[in-house]
Amino acid sequence: MLPSDGLGTTRVLGWAGLLLQETPDAVRAQRSVPAQGGVYASYRFYGSPSSRYDLSPTSHIIEVDSVPTPTLAALLECTRGKADGEVVRVKTVDLEGRLRMTTLKLDLKYWPTFTLSRSAAGEWSRTMEAPAEAEQDGLG
């Protein structure tokens, strides 16, 4: 179990229409947390890729394209090079410990990746992640 500083959520990653964060203390206290870690999906926006491909909120993403994602930084690093329209394979664990694997087609035009961070003063700021350049198909 990770030690808690009592400050709550200080960083949120928006990816494919999910809001991802480190596992909240309340969830950690009441439910099982995957031994291998994973980022906690706290919210899913309707109409987003995560909604269309049925990635559930209250689950943990433990792998993307077979790369472990124990932390937000690890998930961000493994998704950073993905282009708009690229398909990724996502492995999740729900709060009951059931594993699930699904694929998801990224829509970075309408659902870009971003990070929300809270400063020591309590102010939130947003940082947009630049998508990878799509390969040119010679059409234009």
Side-chain angles (χ1 to χ4, degrees):
M1 179 186 240
L2 295 173
S4 174
D5 58 10
L7 296 176
T9 301
T10 57
R11 187 169 179 221
V12 174
L13 179 65
W15 179 75
L18 285 173
L19 292 183
L20 304 169
Q21 63 186 78
E22 299 299 335
T23 306
D25 292 339
V27 174
R28 191 183 318 271
Q30 297 175 35
R31 300 293 186 139
S32 65
V33 176
Q36 66 271 43
V39 294
Y40 182 74
S42 58
Y43 187 80
R44 176 178 69 187
F45 290 97
Y46 181 76
S48 69
S50 61
S51 175
R52 287 191 300 264
Y53 295 94
D54 200 29
L55 275 172
S56 300
T58 71
S59 62
H60 289 84
I61 296 177
I62 59 172
E63 289 180 7
V64 174
D65 287 340
S66 300
V67 176
T69 56
T71 63
L72 289 172
L75 188 136
L76 187 58
E77 184 61 32
C78 94
T79 60
R80 184 170 276 138
K82 306 296 182 188
D84 186 30
E86 192 167 342
V87 176
V88 295
R89 189 173 61 229
V90 181
K91 187 174 185 180
T92 61
V93 178
D94 69 13
L95 293 177
E96 302 300 323
R98 293 179 293 242
L99 291 170
R100 183 166 182 263
M101 180 82 73
T102 190
T103 57
L104 177 141
K105 183 177 180 181
L106 294 173
D107 180 355
L108 298 174
K109 179 177 180 181
Y110 295 106
W111 299 96
T113 302
F114 62 89
T115 302
L116 298 173
S117 301
R118 189 176 71 200
S119 69
E123 295 179 8
W124 287 88
S125 62
R126 180 180 65 180
T127 305
M128 301 300 293
E129 297 295 328
E133 294 297 320
E135 292 183 25
Q136 297 297 323
D137 57 9
L139 296 177

